[in-house]
Amino acid sequence: MHGILSRAMQRHCFVGFSAVSFFIIGVGIVLPAWIAFGVGGSNLLGLVLLASSLASFVLAPLSGYLVDRYSRHTLTASGQLIRAVGLLMLAPVQVLPDALSRPILLLSAILGAFGYALLAGAMSGMLQSLIPETERMGFNMRLSFFNQAGLALGTGVAGYAINRLGSTTAAALFACVAASVLPLLGSLTGNTNGSRPVKGFNPLSASREALTYLLNEPESLSASVTVGLAFAVIQITNLLLPGFVVHALGGGSRLFGTLEMTAAAAGMAALAVAGVQAVARKMARATRTVLAGAAGSLIVLSCVTNPLVAIVLYAVAGMLWNLSRAAANGHLLTVVDSKLIGRVQAFTTLLTGGVGALIFLLPTLLPNATEAELYMACGVTILLATALLGLWTRRGRPGRSRTAMH
């Protein structure tokens, strides 16, 4: 009985730490952007976002190597501390001269990206050590609900704190919040160490080993690409929705906010239902089907011109987008060998970053295309990619990752 309670307590601590981590992600969306805009306008804000994206892309292989090489407890704590330091660096920015404030903003963005990359891989490895394979999909669905709640709360609280306390105090406060949850990691036990030292094991050889693993394990490669495609759906709608609201629906900021709020609420409701173990088992067998539904929602949305219809459809789309992302992550954690989870997560980060860069360039590459046309094109592309993934997985031999974990 004591062991059962202990395991339950560990899961609660893991969920609590993860939710606060996503709360800090929400803060990281609002606070640096507001400070950067105040210091240097849209140009500086663009540079800060670019620095964060490039850092994620460049540092992903290093973070994957570290996660699979060293203690995941230590790297989770390190990632959280790095993000806390990145937030704390924002505190004096608005009172410093431009010659100092701009480099500090860029360095803060780089630290935030590196800290998140370490957390993503290390926490995936910890989850695999805490949760049996058969329970991971359901647990990840429930975890995604709390993560989404933490993210939403972080964006709202950050805006309120900036308004009431000022950006300097808010940055120091949120840095303290990020560091304050580190004691929760002390209650987590289990085999959370990376692989044993091997002669010649370095970031380059580690990345080569992970690539070979993915090429030889069709299901694992499919799972990692599915994660990238699921995030691509979110990136597409984040990019195109404001223009679609104005040009296709004839609305303004009120309609835009309503659509985003509806999608978020519906998505959280869907995650709550999907967290039920019986539903999660079905989701495990239907990950690509849900992703295809999410891509199909982009196609249907491209044809809508009535705001009320758009609100209803966007609620359904929000469910599919959140479910596809959570199911893709859950499937990845189920099929990938725990010894390589850090590097596989790094691969998905590279894929997501590359696809995201292409998506964000679409309005520049296709300046004459409307948002509705881009929704249609992206939806069709993701549908085709999902179908090809299904063919690749079926024609490949069964992955060895499952046997490696037993």
Side-chain angles (χ1 to χ4, degrees), residues 65 200-210 343:
Y65 162 77
F201 189 72
N202 54 57
L204 182 60
S205 64
S207 297
R208 190 163 54 242
E209 181 186 0
R343 283 165 283 171

Side-chain angles (χ1 to χ4, degrees), residues 230-274:
F231 273 92
V233 174
I234 306 296
Q235 291 169 322
I236 289 164
T237 193
N238 286 342
L239 172 69
L240 299 178
L241 183 60
F244 183 76
V245 167
V246 174
H247 298 139
L249 301 178
S253 59
R254 182 177 179 180
L255 178 59
F256 174 72
T258 300
L259 288 169
E260 289 284 25
M261 180 183 68
T262 302
M268 289 185 66
L271 289 172
V273 174

